[in-house]
């Protein structure tokens, strides 16, 4: 949700910033801008509505000479996407320029006070309030920029990652964060600032994750300095990045989403590497091994997440209930945080988040911690906020996911939840040695089986042409594949803008069945599991009403295959592993339908990958 970049050093500042914005564009792309400070200390700000490419076109004939600079790609919160609402924002005297990711909750009160002091505003954003406030304090107190930022941030409520430059100081960028991410890359005589490490990794692997309520001061020729809002110097903890630049490129695929779908055999292998060992006969999850007492004494599991991660959480519920015999509830983090959750100290709260930065999930974790629960995180982005504020957890290790619609992260999350259920089940004695070994052997086969499923690609591409102009879709599944149906429908909605609803197949008769006619296709996920016969009846009910059916079935199926209009066969796996296998054709189907409709699958309208606001 909004991406910020900053650079100070000897490279071409504008080039570094633009490249960085492209890497962060998945976070928001309704407008973009740069502020460049010339070696003489003058600040030029250029902004354009739309994607970063528009900004580049706008900057073609501009003065791009710079000693340092900051840049921003926006996902609008306060004020529509427009040139004037785009960042960076100037202070009234144009002495400061600032970029911001987050939301200033008390901006209205601050703005009214500043207006009384004579400030004029040129945008509808909360961000402009912050830069005006900093400049107001700097002039009133006759202090330096760092003190003014500190003082202003004491007055601010909400979330922020900011970077500020000041006229006459081309050798310095001041940045700060609270609840929104900020990473600093340390090169030779140069510094990079960004919302995540993707704009940094091609220049340096040494990064510092700025902590909440810390201010970072980067100055040419000087070491990085971190101070708290109380002006105490903070330790600098340099971390080495684990991913490489090639993981951020499309690698010959037309879109990141397709690349990420096809990466799943290897990402699932990375996800289980070192965790499913001894020929599949042992599951090692350090997060469980190091917290045995917590998992042994747990009375209940509460899963909190948003979006696709919430769907993975629903599958986690089925897994944990089956394998550990524990009651599990799954909540949208955004609801959990406001519904007076009843949490006990013997609850385990599992927070699932690809980005590790989702604001609602972070807030839910805070509440769970305050109420004394043990919080276990499942994230993808190493060093992100969620892994840092949970008691323990597991990374899914699927590599950077750039496409806004989550694919490989979903299967990675489901895989980690599977391992977690097995490890906890073994610990609690609800999964026998023999069962564990059998499951482990199957898990090891999954990457290869996913490779087999991907061979459906061409068939799905052809099939997609038939359904491109459908206006509504119903996705139905039962048991483990009810959440898969929800995820399939979400994928289609997100990137093709076709209305799609996921439903538990048996619930169809309580409402959605009224919608079925020749114009409303149903995608039915019906692998050979203990609910198969029941789903057959649901398929017949759809057919009897003239509905068209695409069915995902197990190889060799001979009942639904005869009823459905189109059939996609997937390899047979045990029931608990079916969602990983059946979700792959659904990802491909939504991808190709969106492509046929000419949509931007990697950057669908109105969405952002990392949702750092409420
Ligand atoms: C956004 C993304 C989704 C994602 C959700 C939760 O809506 O577009 O793909 O599932 O946020 O994100 P998280 O990073 O917490 O998994």
């Amino acid at each position: 949700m909004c991406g910020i970049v900053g650079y100070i050093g000897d490279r071409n500042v504008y080039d570094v910033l633009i490249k960085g914005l492209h890497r962060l564009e998945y976070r928001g792309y309704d407008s973009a801008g740069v502020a460049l400070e010339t070696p003489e200390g003058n600040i030029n700000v250029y902004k354009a509505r739309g994607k970063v490419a528009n900004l580049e076109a706008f900057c073609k004939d501009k003065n791009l000479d710079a000693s340092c600079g900051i840049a921003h790609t926006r996902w609008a919160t306060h004020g529509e996407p427009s040139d004037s609402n785009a960042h960076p924002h100037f202070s009234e005297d144009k002495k400061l320029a600032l970029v911001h990711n987050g939301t200033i909750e008390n901006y209205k009160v601050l703005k009214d006070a500043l207006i009384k002091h004579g400030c004029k505003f040129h945008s509808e954003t909360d961000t402009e309030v912050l830069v005006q406030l900093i400049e107001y304090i700097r002039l009133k107190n006759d202090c330096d920029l760092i003190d003014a930022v500190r003082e202003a941030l004491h007055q601010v409520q909400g979330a922020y990652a900011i970077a500020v430059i000041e006229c006459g100081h081309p050798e310095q960028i001041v940045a700060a964060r609270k609840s929104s991410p900020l990473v600093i890359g340390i090169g030779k005589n140069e510094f990079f600032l960004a919302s995540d490490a993707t704009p940094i990794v091609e220049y340096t692997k040494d990064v510092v994750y700025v902590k909440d309520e810390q201010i970072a001061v980067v100055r040419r020729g000087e070491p990085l300095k971190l101070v708290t809002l109380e002006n105490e110097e903070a330790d600098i903890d340099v971390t080495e990045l684990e991913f490489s630049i090639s993981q951020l490129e499309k690698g010959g695929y037309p879109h990141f989403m397709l690349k990420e779908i096809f990466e799943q055999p290897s990402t699932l292998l990375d996800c289980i590497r070192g965790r499913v060992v001894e020929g599949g006969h042992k599951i090692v999850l350090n997060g469980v091994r190091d917290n045995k007492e917590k998992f042994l004494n747990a009375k209940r599991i509460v899963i909190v997440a948003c979006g696709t991660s919430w769907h993975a959480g629903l599958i986690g519920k089925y897994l944990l209930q089956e394998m550990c015999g524990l009651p599990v509830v799954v909540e949208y983090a955004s609801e959990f945080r406001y519904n007076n959750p009843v949490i006990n100290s013997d609850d385990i709260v599992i927070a699932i988040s690809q980005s590790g930065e989702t604001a609602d999930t972070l807030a839910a974790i805070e509440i769970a911690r305050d109420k004394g629960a043990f919080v276990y995180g499942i994230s993808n982005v190493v060093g992100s906020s969620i892994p840092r504020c949970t008691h323990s957890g597991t990374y899914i290790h699927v590599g950077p996911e750039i496409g806004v619609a989550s694919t490989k992260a979903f299967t990675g999350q489901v895989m980690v939840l599977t391992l977690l259920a097995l490890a906890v089940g073994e610990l609690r004695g609800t999964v026998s040695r023999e069962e564990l070994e059998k499951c482990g052997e199957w898990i090891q086969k999954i990457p290869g089986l996913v490779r087999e499923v991907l061979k459906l690609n061409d068939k799905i591409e052809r099939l997609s042409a038939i359904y491109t102009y459908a206006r509504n879709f119903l996705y139905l599944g039962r048991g483990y594949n009810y959440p898969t149906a929800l995820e399939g429908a979400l994928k289609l909605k997100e990137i093709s803008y076709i209305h799609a609803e996921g439903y538990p197949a048996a619930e169809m008769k309580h409402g959605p069945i009224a919608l079925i006619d020749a114009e409303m296709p149903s995608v039915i996920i019906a692998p050979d599991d203990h609910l198969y016969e029941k789903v057959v009846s649901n398929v017949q009910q759809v057919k009897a009403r003239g509905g068209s059916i695409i069915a995902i079935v197990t190889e060799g199926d001979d009942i639904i295959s005869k009823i459905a209009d189109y059939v996609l066969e997937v390899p047979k796996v045990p029931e608990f592993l079916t969602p990983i296998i059946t979700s792959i054709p659904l990802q491909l189907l939504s991808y190709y339908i969106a492509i046929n409709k000419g949509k931007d699958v990697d950057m669908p309208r109105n969405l952002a990958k990392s949702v750092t606001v409420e």
Side-chain angles (χ1 to χ4, degrees), residues 214-234:
Q214 283 186 346
I215 297 174
V217 183
V218 296
R219 284 205 187 108
R220 199 184 270 270
E222 287 181 27
L224 168 68
K225 191 173 161 195
L226 290 177
V227 291
T228 65
L229 289 193
E230 311 315 322
N231 208 16
E232 280 154 13
E233 212 154 307

Side-chain angles (χ1 to χ4, degrees), residues 305-310 352-358 361 386 401 403-406 413 490-491 494 607-611:
C306 303
T308 289
S309 299
W310 185 79
I352 309 172
S353 172
Q354 185 285 131
S355 62
E357 299 292 351
T358 302
T361 312
I386 288 176
E401 189 180 64
V404 166
S406 184
Q413 290 165 339
L490 178 66
K491 244 15 13 145
E494 283 179 311
L607 298 181
K609 189 151 189 71
S610 183
V611 183

Side-chain angles (χ1 to χ4, degrees), residues 412-588:
Q413 290 165 339
V414 176
M415 182 56 92
V416 162
L417 286 158
T418 308
L419 303 184
L420 183 68
L422 283 167
V424 175
E426 187 192 21
L427 183 69
R428 293 174 66 97
T430 45
V431 172
S432 69
R433 244 310 353 114
E434 209 190 352
E435 284 165 332
L436 184 105
E437 290 178 3
K438 239 196 269 166
C439 294
E441 285 173 15
W442 268 107
I443 288 171
Q444 287 197 318
K445 291 185 196 157
I446 289 295
L449 293 173
V450 168
R451 187 165 290 116
E452 288 303 306
V453 181
L454 287 167
K455 290 186 182 156
L456 289 169
N457 180 65
D458 294 355
K459 186 171 180 185
I460 296 174
E461 186 176 5
R462 286 193 299 275
L463 180 62
S464 70
I466 302 167
Y467 288 99
T468 299
Y469 299 100
R471 303 195 42 203
N472 298 286
F473 265 86
L474 196 57
Y475 282 69
L476 302 172
R478 290 194 77 164
Y480 278 106
N481 285 289
Y482 151 52
T484 319
L486 295 182
E487 175 58 11
L490 178 66
K491 244 15 13 145
L492 188 70
K493 269 186 279 216
E494 283 179 311
I495 58 171
S496 71
Y497 320 143
I498 295 174
H499 169 248
E501 274 194 66
Y503 245 81
E507 274 294 303
M508 177 186 65
K509 57 186 173 290
H510 298 293
I513 199 163
L515 301 170
I516 290 172
D517 60 16
E519 309 274 291
M520 170 102 168
S522 297
V523 179
I524 302 187
I525 304 134
D528 176 13
D529 60 19
H530 83 287
L531 292 164
Y532 178 79
E533 303 296 334
K534 312 257 177 213
V535 180
V536 172
S537 320
N538 303 133
V539 173
Q540 274 157 344
Q541 288 156 9
V542 174
K543 205 66 215 166
R545 280 150 189 90
S548 149
I549 297 171
I550 303 170
I552 318 274
V553 296
T554 306
E555 276 162 5
D557 178 288
D558 64 353
I559 304 177
I560 292 182
S561 301
K562 289 189 183 126
I563 314 171
D565 298 76
Y566 299 96
V567 171
L568 298 168
E569 288 194 340
V570 295
K572 174 142 184 78
V573 293
E575 198 162 331
F576 73 98
L577 288 170
T578 53
I580 296 179
I581 296 291
T582 55
S583 58
I584 311 285
L586 302 182
Q587 296 169 351
L588 286 168

Side-chain angles (χ1 to χ4, degrees), residues 5 169 179 188 427 560 584:
V5 200
H169 293 269
S179 304
K188 265 199 191 131
L427 183 69
I560 292 182
I584 311 285

Side-chain angles (χ1 to χ4, degrees), residues 5 15-27 51-54 56 73 198-199 256 402 603:
V5 200
D15 288 350
V16 173
L17 296 178
I18 289 290
K19 218 167 182 191
L21 287 183
H22 276 298
R23 296 242 186 263
L24 291 180
E25 217 170 3
Y26 71 87
R27 300 175 70 88
K51 295 198 174 147
V52 176
N54 292 7
E56 280 179 275
T73 176
T198 57
F256 281 110
I402 313 290
M603 286 184 250

Side-chain angles (χ1 to χ4, degrees), residues 333-371:
S334 54
E335 286 299 307
F336 175 92
R337 63 185 293 191
Y338 293 117
N339 67 10
N340 304 309
V342 180
I343 294 291
N344 304 311
S345 55
D346 49 13
D347 284 335
I348 291 185
V349 172
I350 300 179
I352 309 172
S353 172
Q354 185 285 131
S355 62
E357 299 292 351
T358 302
D360 286 320
T361 312
L362 273 163
I365 292 170
E366 207 172 301
I367 292 168
R369 286 188 66 125
D370 283 353
K371 290 181 183 273

Side-chain angles (χ1 to χ4, degrees), residues 125-373:
T125 64
D126 52 340
T127 303
E128 195 187 358
V129 176
L130 184 53
V131 70
Q132 300 272 29
L133 177 66
I134 296 170
E135 182 61 345
Y136 173 76
I137 293 170
R138 196 177 68 89
L139 294 175
K140 186 170 144 261
N141 296 359
D142 191 22
C143 62
D144 68 14
L145 177 62
I146 302 156
D147 284 342
V149 166
R150 267 195 321 107
E151 171 59 30
L153 294 180
H154 272 296
Q155 297 186 28
V156 154
Q157 286 158 17
Y160 54 78
I162 56 165
V164 203
I165 54 175
E166 182 183 10
C167 265
H169 293 269
E171 76 298 337
Q172 168 184 284
I173 304 175
V174 176
R177 78 154 259 177
K178 184 184 176 195
S179 304
S180 292
L182 179 65
V183 189
I184 295 182
I186 305 177
K188 265 199 191 131
N189 299 320
E190 60 183 350
F191 293 103
F192 305 83
L193 282 82
S195 296
D196 70 32
T198 57
I200 298 175
V201 68
E202 72 180 282
Y203 308 106
T204 174
K205 294 236 161 188
D206 292 336
V207 296
V208 173
Y209 293 97
V210 179
K211 298 201 175 94
D212 267 354
E213 303 200 329
Q214 283 186 346
I215 297 174
V217 183
V218 296
R219 284 205 187 108
R220 199 184 270 270
E222 287 181 27
L224 168 68
K225 191 173 161 195
L226 290 177
V227 291
T228 65
L229 289 193
E230 311 315 322
N231 208 16
E232 280 154 13
E233 212 154 307
D235 291 342
I236 292 177
D237 194 0
V238 180
T239 309
E240 196 177 325
L241 291 176
E242 283 176 10
F243 64 98
S244 66
I245 187 71
S246 64
Q247 289 175 280
L248 304 176
E249 311 282 350
K250 288 187 195 147
Y253 286 91
H255 299 97
F256 281 110
M257 182 178 177
L258 193 62
K259 176 194 172 216
E260 287 158 6
I261 292 173
F262 271 87
E263 270 177 347
Q264 289 173 107
S266 66
T267 55
L268 285 163
L269 198 62
D270 290 342
C271 179
I272 62 174
R273 182 169 292 123
R275 293 168 173 168
V276 182
V277 293
E278 298 177 8
H281 292 179
K282 200 169 170 198
I283 310 273
V284 186
L285 272 194
N286 296 344
V288 176
R289 190 200 54 200
D290 300 343
N291 297 285
K292 279 190 182 147
E293 289 306 307
K294 295 282 177 198
F295 284 98
L296 276 172
N297 298 331
K299 295 277 183 302
R300 184 176 71 140
I301 291 181
V302 178
I303 298 178
V304 290
C306 303
T308 289
S309 299
W310 185 79
H311 295 153
L314 277 184
I315 297 171
K317 170 188 167 115
Y318 286 81
L319 289 163
L320 288 155
Q321 289 192 167
E322 179 183 336
M323 295 175 184
C324 311
L326 276 167
V328 181
V329 289
V330 188
E331 294 238 32
Y332 286 115
S334 54
E335 286 299 307
F336 175 92
R337 63 185 293 191
Y338 293 117
N339 67 10
N340 304 309
V342 180
I343 294 291
N344 304 311
S345 55
D346 49 13
D347 284 335
I348 291 185
V349 172
I350 300 179
I352 309 172
S353 172
Q354 185 285 131
S355 62
E357 299 292 351
T358 302
D360 286 320
T361 312
L362 273 163
I365 292 170
E366 207 172 301
I367 292 168
R369 286 188 66 125
D370 283 353
K371 290 181 183 273

